[in-house]
Amino acid sequence: MNAPFLAAAFVGAIAPFVRAWAWGVPMGCFTWGMALRATLGAGLVTLMAGLIPLVVVDDLTAGLIGLVVGGLLMLLSARRSRHLRGIMLLSWRLASPLTRDEVVERLRGRLASARRLGPESYAQLALVAAAPLSAVERWDEVLAALEGVTVESLPRALSERVTQARSMAQIARGDLEAATESLTRIERPAEPAVERWLRASEALLHAVQGGADQALTIANEERDADAALGASYDIVRAHALASKGDDEGAKAALRRVERVAGAPGLQRAIRPVGPATDLARALLAAD
């Protein structure tokens, strides 16, 4: 009965490495717990596949059956949703500045290999990658991922989400003309979750381009927004109030942003450059 156990040990030992290869991530992305689960899961399946045939075949043959069946199932498991799993695991590593450039490069490769899955699957993966990249303000990479999406071939709801995410990245980069053009491509009203962020984007564009009254009108209609959206509207209020000469009101809005979102929230008030940019920089410097 040694052969089934040896097969189980072998398949279990290589399972974490096969999973890392299939997901396109370095082994360093795996925690000990993740590696152990992969090893135990693959090993137990292989062992069972090897022990069951022992009632009709010899020990060596049973071990080979376990090796083939367990290895095949381990490989199929590693390949299931491999692009999504790889992107999500890499995204978790973006939080560390020490590994960020390497992770971004690997994300590019993961997305490039996902293009062959088709427009809809690629669009969903690009949106998954865009969220953590936005959180660390890698706007060029966000746009590179989203501009690879052919929105015309997507269902309306997915097309709206991609275009809205693209416009937010364009705003953050200061490309206001492109952001405005992106917003005009979306049929309004969009689905409620997208529409709420579209209005915030429109309000911000007004606020940094001299339309303070229009920006404040939209912002004041959204006082019941959730924390993240509320912080975005406070950034709108800060720019709009600063443009009207109300620096104290703008600072109060920025302090609300800081309480909700911390320093990353204030960074969002710096780009695109607007009337409250210098105030946001001063608050960040004071901290």
Side-chain angles (χ1 to χ4, degrees):
M1 292 181 60
N2 286 333
F5 285 94
L6 290 173
F10 174 74
V11 173
I14 68 171
F17 299 94
V18 171
R19 186 166 291 190
W21 165 76
W23 294 4
V25 301
M27 270 300 297
C29 284
F30 281 62
T31 64
W32 283 106
M34 294 171 64
L36 185 60
R37 284 194 297 272
T39 294
L40 291 177
L44 287 173
V45 168
T46 303
L47 183 60
M48 292 302 298
L51 290 177
I52 292 173
L54 276 175
V55 297
V56 293
V57 300
D58 61 77
D59 180 67
L60 181 58
T61 303
L64 289 173
I65 292 172
L67 181 66
V68 172
V69 173
L72 180 61
L73 291 176
M74 178 263 292
L75 183 59
L76 290 174
S77 175
R79 288 181 61 83
R80 187 176 67 249
S81 302
R82 62 194 183 99
H83 295 287
L84 176 61
R85 290 174 168 183
I87 287 170
M88 292 180 70
L89 195 54
L90 287 169
S91 297
W92 174 68
R93 298 268 293 191
L94 282 171
S96 171
L98 297 176
T99 58
R100 190 169 296 159
D101 289 340
E102 177 191 352
V103 170
V104 167
E105 193 61 37
R106 286 184 176 271
L107 275 173
R108 285 198 198 102
R110 188 88 309 229
L111 288 168
S113 66
R115 289 180 188 274
R116 64 176 180 271
L117 298 177
E120 189 168 346
S121 294
Y122 175 77
Q124 292 168 340
L125 291 171
L127 285 171
V128 170
L133 285 169
S134 298
V136 296
E137 300 189 343
R138 297 298 290 255
W139 301 113
D140 289 342
E141 284 78 12
V142 172
L143 283 176
L146 295 175
E147 286 174 350
V149 178
T150 307
V151 294
E152 292 78 13
S153 61
L154 300 178
R156 180 184 171 185
L158 185 55
S159 173
E160 289 173 348
R161 289 172 58 206
V162 170
T163 306
Q164 182 262 331
R166 186 183 292 169
S167 70
M168 289 182 67
Q170 289 165 334
I171 290 172
R173 291 178 72 235
D175 195 349
L176 306 186
E177 185 176 342
T180 302
E181 184 181 349
S182 292
L183 291 175
T184 60
R185 293 176 184 170
I186 301 177
E187 184 179 344
R188 308 291 290 275
E191 66 170 66
V194 174
E195 182 67 25
R196 296 170 70 207
W197 284 101
L198 290 176
R199 283 177 59 79
S201 296
E202 288 175 334
L204 182 57
L205 286 171
H206 287 310
V208 298
Q209 295 183 107
D213 291 334
Q214 292 169 286
L216 288 172
T217 297
I218 297 173
N220 291 334
E221 290 173 355
E222 300 290 341
R223 289 195 176 275
D224 295 329
D226 60 37
L229 193 57
S232 294
Y233 275 116
D234 272 327
I235 291 173
V236 169
R237 293 185 185 97
H239 283 300
L241 292 171
S243 74
K244 294 169 73 71
D246 184 0
D247 284 359
E248 290 306 313
K251 288 178 184 177
L254 290 173
R255 291 190 186 99
R256 290 195 297 271
V257 173
E258 189 175 25
R259 284 196 296 271
V260 171
L266 287 178
Q267 291 285 355
R268 297 290 180 92
I270 293 175
R271 297 181 62 183
V273 174
T277 293
D278 288 340
L279 296 176
R281 285 196 179 115
L283 284 176
L284 278 169
D287 293 340

Short mmCIF file of all heavy atoms in Angstrom, two decimals, residues 144-194:
data_model
loop_
_atom_site.label_atom_id
_atom_site.label_comp_id
_atom_site.label_asym_id
_atom_site.label_seq_id
_atom_site.Cartn_x
_atom_site.Cartn_y
_atom_site.Cartn_z
N ALA A 144 -4.80 51.62 -19.09
CA ALA A 144 -4.28 50.60 -20.00
C ALA A 144 -5.14 49.35 -19.97
O ALA A 144 -5.41 48.73 -21.01
CB ALA A 144 -2.83 50.26 -19.63
N ALA A 145 -5.60 48.97 -18.77
CA ALA A 145 -6.46 47.80 -18.65
C ALA A 145 -7.83 48.04 -19.28
O ALA A 145 -8.35 47.22 -20.04
CB ALA A 145 -6.62 47.41 -17.19
N LEU A 146 -8.43 49.21 -18.99
CA LEU A 146 -9.79 49.48 -19.44
C LEU A 146 -9.87 49.86 -20.91
O LEU A 146 -10.88 49.60 -21.57
CB LEU A 146 -10.41 50.59 -18.58
CG LEU A 146 -10.60 50.24 -17.11
CD1 LEU A 146 -11.10 51.44 -16.34
CD2 LEU A 146 -11.56 49.08 -16.95
N GLU A 147 -8.82 50.48 -21.44
CA GLU A 147 -8.85 50.86 -22.84
C GLU A 147 -8.70 49.66 -23.77
O GLU A 147 -8.91 49.77 -24.97
CB GLU A 147 -7.78 51.92 -23.12
CG GLU A 147 -8.17 53.29 -22.56
CD GLU A 147 -7.07 54.33 -22.69
OE1 GLU A 147 -5.93 53.94 -23.04
OE2 GLU A 147 -7.35 55.50 -22.41
N GLY A 148 -8.34 48.52 -23.20
CA GLY A 148 -8.32 47.29 -23.99
C GLY A 148 -9.68 46.66 -24.15
O GLY A 148 -9.82 45.62 -24.81
N VAL A 149 -10.70 47.26 -23.56
CA VAL A 149 -12.06 46.72 -23.61
C VAL A 149 -12.82 47.34 -24.77
O VAL A 149 -12.85 48.56 -24.92
CB VAL A 149 -12.82 47.00 -22.29
CG1 VAL A 149 -14.24 46.47 -22.37
CG2 VAL A 149 -12.08 46.39 -21.12
N THR A 150 -13.44 46.51 -25.58
CA THR A 150 -14.29 46.98 -26.68
C THR A 150 -15.71 47.09 -26.13
O THR A 150 -16.46 46.12 -26.11
CB THR A 150 -14.25 46.02 -27.87
OG1 THR A 150 -12.90 45.79 -28.25
CG2 THR A 150 -15.04 46.58 -29.05
N VAL A 151 -16.09 48.28 -25.67
CA VAL A 151 -17.36 48.43 -24.96
C VAL A 151 -18.56 48.20 -25.87
O VAL A 151 -19.65 47.83 -25.41
CB VAL A 151 -17.46 49.82 -24.29
CG1 VAL A 151 -16.44 49.95 -23.18
CG2 VAL A 151 -17.29 50.93 -25.30
N GLU A 152 -18.38 48.42 -27.18
CA GLU A 152 -19.51 48.27 -28.10
C GLU A 152 -20.03 46.84 -28.15
O GLU A 152 -21.18 46.61 -28.51
CB GLU A 152 -19.10 48.71 -29.51
CG GLU A 152 -18.83 50.20 -29.67
CD GLU A 152 -17.46 50.61 -29.13
OE1 GLU A 152 -16.64 49.70 -28.85
OE2 GLU A 152 -17.22 51.82 -28.97
N SER A 153 -19.19 45.88 -27.80
CA SER A 153 -19.59 44.47 -27.88
C SER A 153 -20.10 43.93 -26.54
O SER A 153 -20.37 42.74 -26.43
CB SER A 153 -18.40 43.62 -28.35
OG SER A 153 -17.32 43.72 -27.44
N LEU A 154 -20.23 44.80 -25.54
CA LEU A 154 -20.60 44.36 -24.20
C LEU A 154 -22.09 44.60 -23.93
O LEU A 154 -22.71 45.49 -24.53
CB LEU A 154 -19.79 45.12 -23.16
CG LEU A 154 -18.28 44.99 -23.22
CD1 LEU A 154 -17.64 45.86 -22.13
CD2 LEU A 154 -17.85 43.54 -23.06
N PRO A 155 -22.67 43.83 -23.00
CA PRO A 155 -24.02 44.17 -22.52
C PRO A 155 -24.03 45.57 -21.93
O PRO A 155 -23.00 46.03 -21.42
CB PRO A 155 -24.28 43.10 -21.45
CG PRO A 155 -23.34 42.00 -21.74
CD PRO A 155 -22.13 42.62 -22.37
N ARG A 156 -25.16 46.22 -21.96
CA ARG A 156 -25.22 47.62 -21.56
C ARG A 156 -24.70 47.85 -20.14
O ARG A 156 -23.89 48.77 -19.91
CB ARG A 156 -26.66 48.13 -21.64
CG ARG A 156 -26.77 49.60 -21.22
CD ARG A 156 -28.18 50.11 -21.21
NE ARG A 156 -28.23 51.44 -20.60
CZ ARG A 156 -29.34 52.12 -20.36
NH1 ARG A 156 -30.50 51.60 -20.69
NH2 ARG A 156 -29.28 53.32 -19.80
N ALA A 157 -25.11 47.02 -19.19
CA ALA A 157 -24.70 47.25 -17.80
C ALA A 157 -23.20 47.17 -17.64
O ALA A 157 -22.58 48.00 -16.95
CB ALA A 157 -25.39 46.22 -16.88
N LEU A 158 -22.58 46.19 -18.29
CA LEU A 158 -21.12 46.04 -18.19
C LEU A 158 -20.41 47.16 -18.92
O LEU A 158 -19.40 47.69 -18.45
CB LEU A 158 -20.70 44.68 -18.75
CG LEU A 158 -19.23 44.30 -18.63
CD1 LEU A 158 -18.75 44.38 -17.18
CD2 LEU A 158 -18.98 42.91 -19.19
N SER A 159 -20.94 47.56 -20.07
CA SER A 159 -20.36 48.67 -20.82
C SER A 159 -20.38 49.96 -20.00
O SER A 159 -19.40 50.72 -19.99
CB SER A 159 -21.14 48.87 -22.12
OG SER A 159 -20.72 50.03 -22.80
N GLU A 160 -21.48 50.20 -19.29
CA GLU A 160 -21.58 51.39 -18.45
C GLU A 160 -20.53 51.37 -17.33
O GLU A 160 -19.90 52.39 -17.05
CB GLU A 160 -22.98 51.48 -17.83
CG GLU A 160 -24.07 51.82 -18.83
CD GLU A 160 -25.45 51.72 -18.22
OE1 GLU A 160 -25.58 51.17 -17.10
OE2 GLU A 160 -26.41 52.18 -18.86
N ARG A 161 -20.35 50.22 -16.71
CA ARG A 161 -19.38 50.13 -15.61
C ARG A 161 -17.97 50.39 -16.11
O ARG A 161 -17.18 51.08 -15.46
CB ARG A 161 -19.48 48.75 -14.96
CG ARG A 161 -20.74 48.52 -14.15
CD ARG A 161 -20.85 47.08 -13.71
NE ARG A 161 -19.69 46.67 -12.93
CZ ARG A 161 -19.26 45.42 -12.85
NH1 ARG A 161 -19.88 44.46 -13.52
NH2 ARG A 161 -18.21 45.13 -12.10
N VAL A 162 -17.63 49.83 -17.28
CA VAL A 162 -16.29 50.04 -17.83
C VAL A 162 -16.08 51.51 -18.17
O VAL A 162 -15.04 52.10 -17.84
CB VAL A 162 -16.07 49.15 -19.07
CG1 VAL A 162 -14.79 49.54 -19.80
CG2 VAL A 162 -16.02 47.68 -18.68
N THR A 163 -17.04 52.11 -18.84
CA THR A 163 -16.90 53.51 -19.26
C THR A 163 -16.85 54.44 -18.05
O THR A 163 -16.08 55.41 -18.02
CB THR A 163 -18.07 53.91 -20.18
OG1 THR A 163 -18.16 52.97 -21.27
CG2 THR A 163 -17.87 55.30 -20.74
N GLN A 164 -17.65 54.15 -17.03
CA GLN A 164 -17.62 54.96 -15.81
C GLN A 164 -16.27 54.86 -15.11
O GLN A 164 -15.69 55.86 -14.68
CB GLN A 164 -18.74 54.52 -14.87
CG GLN A 164 -18.84 55.33 -13.58
CD GLN A 164 -18.17 54.61 -12.42
OE1 GLN A 164 -18.10 53.39 -12.39
NE2 GLN A 164 -17.69 55.39 -11.47
N ALA A 165 -15.72 53.65 -15.01
CA ALA A 165 -14.40 53.46 -14.39
C ALA A 165 -13.32 54.16 -15.20
O ALA A 165 -12.39 54.77 -14.65
CB ALA A 165 -14.09 51.97 -14.26
N ARG A 166 -13.46 54.10 -16.52
CA ARG A 166 -12.48 54.77 -17.39
C ARG A 166 -12.53 56.29 -17.19
O ARG A 166 -11.48 56.95 -17.10
CB ARG A 166 -12.79 54.41 -18.84
CG ARG A 166 -11.78 54.91 -19.85
CD ARG A 166 -12.25 54.55 -21.25
NE ARG A 166 -12.22 53.12 -21.49
CZ ARG A 166 -12.76 52.53 -22.55
NH1 ARG A 166 -13.39 53.25 -23.46
NH2 ARG A 166 -12.69 51.22 -22.69
N SER A 167 -13.73 56.84 -17.08
CA SER A 167 -13.86 58.29 -16.90
C SER A 167 -13.26 58.74 -15.57
O SER A 167 -12.63 59.80 -15.48
CB SER A 167 -15.32 58.72 -16.99
OG SER A 167 -16.06 58.26 -15.87
N MET A 168 -13.41 57.92 -14.51
CA MET A 168 -12.83 58.28 -13.21
C MET A 168 -11.30 58.32 -13.29
O MET A 168 -10.66 59.21 -12.71
CB MET A 168 -13.29 57.27 -12.15
CG MET A 168 -14.75 57.40 -11.77
SD MET A 168 -15.24 56.25 -10.48
CE MET A 168 -14.31 56.88 -9.08
N ALA A 169 -10.72 57.36 -14.01
CA ALA A 169 -9.26 57.36 -14.17
C ALA A 169 -8.80 58.56 -14.99
O ALA A 169 -7.77 59.18 -14.70
CB ALA A 169 -8.82 56.06 -14.84
N GLN A 170 -9.57 58.92 -16.01
CA GLN A 170 -9.21 60.08 -16.83
C GLN A 170 -9.28 61.37 -16.02
O GLN A 170 -8.43 62.25 -16.16
CB GLN A 170 -10.14 60.14 -18.05
CG GLN A 170 -9.86 59.04 -19.06
CD GLN A 170 -10.97 58.86 -20.07
OE1 GLN A 170 -12.14 59.20 -19.80
NE2 GLN A 170 -10.65 58.33 -21.24
N ILE A 171 -10.29 61.46 -15.15
CA ILE A 171 -10.40 62.64 -14.28
C ILE A 171 -9.20 62.71 -13.35
O ILE A 171 -8.58 63.77 -13.17
CB ILE A 171 -11.72 62.58 -13.47
CG1 ILE A 171 -12.92 62.82 -14.38
CG2 ILE A 171 -11.70 63.64 -12.35
CD1 ILE A 171 -14.26 62.60 -13.71
N ALA A 172 -8.84 61.58 -12.76
CA ALA A 172 -7.71 61.56 -11.82
C ALA A 172 -6.41 61.96 -12.50
O ALA A 172 -5.54 62.57 -11.88
CB ALA A 172 -7.58 60.17 -11.20
N ARG A 173 -6.27 61.63 -13.78
CA ARG A 173 -5.06 62.00 -14.52
C ARG A 173 -5.10 63.43 -15.02
O ARG A 173 -4.14 63.92 -15.59
CB ARG A 173 -4.87 61.05 -15.71
CG ARG A 173 -4.51 59.64 -15.32
CD ARG A 173 -4.37 58.75 -16.54
NE ARG A 173 -3.17 59.05 -17.30
CZ ARG A 173 -3.14 59.36 -18.59
NH1 ARG A 173 -4.27 59.46 -19.28
NH2 ARG A 173 -2.01 59.59 -19.20
N GLY A 174 -6.24 64.09 -14.84
CA GLY A 174 -6.36 65.46 -15.30
C GLY A 174 -6.77 65.59 -16.75
O GLY A 174 -6.77 66.70 -17.31
N ASP A 175 -7.15 64.49 -17.38
CA ASP A 175 -7.59 64.52 -18.79
C ASP A 175 -9.10 64.75 -18.81
O ASP A 175 -9.89 63.85 -19.07
CB ASP A 175 -7.22 63.21 -19.47
CG ASP A 175 -7.30 63.31 -20.99
OD1 ASP A 175 -7.84 64.32 -21.48
OD2 ASP A 175 -6.86 62.36 -21.67
N LEU A 176 -9.49 65.99 -18.51
CA LEU A 176 -10.90 66.30 -18.30
C LEU A 176 -11.71 66.23 -19.58
O LEU A 176 -12.90 65.85 -19.57
CB LEU A 176 -11.03 67.69 -17.67
CG LEU A 176 -10.22 67.90 -16.38
CD1 LEU A 176 -10.53 69.26 -15.78
CD2 LEU A 176 -10.48 66.79 -15.38
N GLU A 177 -11.11 66.59 -20.69
CA GLU A 177 -11.82 66.53 -21.97
C GLU A 177 -12.17 65.08 -22.32
O GLU A 177 -13.30 64.78 -22.72
CB GLU A 177 -10.96 67.14 -23.07
CG GLU A 177 -11.66 67.22 -24.42
CD GLU A 177 -10.81 67.93 -25.47
OE1 GLU A 177 -9.85 68.62 -25.09
OE2 GLU A 177 -11.12 67.76 -26.66
N ALA A 178 -11.21 64.18 -22.13
CA ALA A 178 -11.47 62.76 -22.42
C ALA A 178 -12.52 62.21 -21.47
O ALA A 178 -13.37 61.40 -21.86
CB ALA A 178 -10.18 61.96 -22.31
N ALA A 179 -12.46 62.63 -20.19
CA ALA A 179 -13.44 62.16 -19.21
C ALA A 179 -14.85 62.61 -19.58
O ALA A 179 -15.81 61.83 -19.50
CB ALA A 179 -13.07 62.66 -17.82
N THR A 180 -14.96 63.85 -20.01
CA THR A 180 -16.27 64.37 -20.42
C THR A 180 -16.79 63.58 -21.62
O THR A 180 -17.98 63.23 -21.68
CB THR A 180 -16.16 65.86 -20.77
OG1 THR A 180 -15.68 66.58 -19.63
CG2 THR A 180 -17.51 66.42 -21.19
N GLU A 181 -15.91 63.30 -22.57
CA GLU A 181 -16.31 62.53 -23.74
C GLU A 181 -16.77 61.13 -23.35
O GLU A 181 -17.76 60.61 -23.88
CB GLU A 181 -15.14 62.44 -24.72
CG GLU A 181 -15.50 61.72 -26.02
CD GLU A 181 -14.32 61.63 -26.97
OE1 GLU A 181 -13.30 62.30 -26.71
OE2 GLU A 181 -14.42 60.89 -27.95
N SER A 182 -16.06 60.51 -22.40
CA SER A 182 -16.46 59.17 -21.94
C SER A 182 -17.85 59.20 -21.31
O SER A 182 -18.68 58.32 -21.57
CB SER A 182 -15.45 58.64 -20.92
OG SER A 182 -14.21 58.38 -21.52
N LEU A 183 -18.11 60.21 -20.50
CA LEU A 183 -19.40 60.30 -19.83
C LEU A 183 -20.55 60.50 -20.82
O LEU A 183 -21.65 59.98 -20.62
CB LEU A 183 -19.39 61.44 -18.81
CG LEU A 183 -18.51 61.23 -17.58
CD1 LEU A 183 -18.49 62.48 -16.71
CD2 LEU A 183 -18.98 60.04 -16.76
N THR A 184 -20.28 61.23 -21.89
CA THR A 184 -21.35 61.47 -22.87
C THR A 184 -21.72 60.21 -23.67
O THR A 184 -22.77 60.18 -24.29
CB THR A 184 -20.93 62.58 -23.86
OG1 THR A 184 -19.74 62.18 -24.55
CG2 THR A 184 -20.69 63.89 -23.14
N ARG A 185 -20.85 59.20 -23.62
CA ARG A 185 -21.14 57.96 -24.34
C ARG A 185 -22.13 57.07 -23.62
O ARG A 185 -22.65 56.12 -24.19
CB ARG A 185 -19.84 57.18 -24.58
CG ARG A 185 -18.87 57.85 -25.51
CD ARG A 185 -17.59 57.04 -25.58
NE ARG A 185 -16.58 57.69 -26.39
CZ ARG A 185 -15.31 57.31 -26.46
NH1 ARG A 185 -14.92 56.25 -25.76
NH2 ARG A 185 -14.45 57.96 -27.22
N ILE A 186 -22.39 57.36 -22.35
CA ILE A 186 -23.26 56.50 -21.55
C ILE A 186 -24.69 56.98 -21.67
O ILE A 186 -24.99 58.16 -21.43
CB ILE A 186 -22.82 56.50 -20.08
CG1 ILE A 186 -21.38 56.00 -19.96
CG2 ILE A 186 -23.75 55.63 -19.24
CD1 ILE A 186 -20.83 56.03 -18.55
N GLU A 187 -25.58 56.08 -22.03
CA GLU A 187 -27.00 56.41 -22.12
C GLU A 187 -27.54 56.64 -20.72
O GLU A 187 -27.35 55.80 -19.83
CB GLU A 187 -27.76 55.28 -22.82
CG GLU A 187 -29.22 55.57 -23.05
CD GLU A 187 -29.92 54.42 -23.77
OE1 GLU A 187 -29.22 53.55 -24.33
OE2 GLU A 187 -31.17 54.39 -23.74
N ARG A 188 -28.21 57.74 -20.52
CA ARG A 188 -28.70 58.09 -19.19
C ARG A 188 -30.22 57.99 -19.14
O ARG A 188 -30.90 58.24 -20.12
CB ARG A 188 -28.27 59.52 -18.86
CG ARG A 188 -26.79 59.76 -19.04
CD ARG A 188 -25.94 59.02 -18.03
NE ARG A 188 -26.09 59.59 -16.71
CZ ARG A 188 -25.38 60.63 -16.28
NH1 ARG A 188 -24.46 61.19 -17.06
NH2 ARG A 188 -25.55 61.10 -15.07
N PRO A 189 -30.76 57.60 -17.97
CA PRO A 189 -30.00 57.23 -16.78
C PRO A 189 -29.40 55.83 -16.91
O PRO A 189 -29.98 54.94 -17.52
CB PRO A 189 -31.06 57.28 -15.67
CG PRO A 189 -32.33 56.95 -16.38
CD PRO A 189 -32.21 57.55 -17.75
N ALA A 190 -28.24 55.66 -16.30
CA ALA A 190 -27.62 54.34 -16.26
C ALA A 190 -28.24 53.54 -15.11
O ALA A 190 -29.13 54.02 -14.40
CB ALA A 190 -26.11 54.49 -16.04
N GLU A 191 -27.77 52.30 -14.93
CA GLU A 191 -28.26 51.52 -13.80
C GLU A 191 -27.92 52.27 -12.51
O GLU A 191 -26.91 52.98 -12.45
CB GLU A 191 -27.67 50.11 -13.80
CG GLU A 191 -26.16 50.06 -13.55
CD GLU A 191 -25.69 48.64 -13.31
OE1 GLU A 191 -25.77 47.82 -14.25
OE2 GLU A 191 -25.26 48.34 -12.19
N PRO A 192 -28.76 52.14 -11.46
CA PRO A 192 -28.62 53.01 -10.28
C PRO A 192 -27.22 53.05 -9.68
O PRO A 192 -26.74 54.13 -9.33
CB PRO A 192 -29.63 52.39 -9.29
CG PRO A 192 -30.68 51.79 -10.17
CD PRO A 192 -29.95 51.27 -11.38
N ALA A 193 -26.54 51.90 -9.54
CA ALA A 193 -25.21 51.90 -8.92
C ALA A 193 -24.21 52.70 -9.73
O ALA A 193 -23.35 53.39 -9.17
CB ALA A 193 -24.71 50.46 -8.75
N VAL A 194 -24.33 52.64 -11.06
CA VAL A 194 -23.43 53.40 -11.93
C VAL A 194 -23.84 54.86 -11.97
O VAL A 194 -23.00 55.77 -11.94
CB VAL A 194 -23.41 52.79 -13.35
CG1 VAL A 194 -22.60 53.66 -14.30
CG2 VAL A 194 -22.86 51.37 -13.32
#
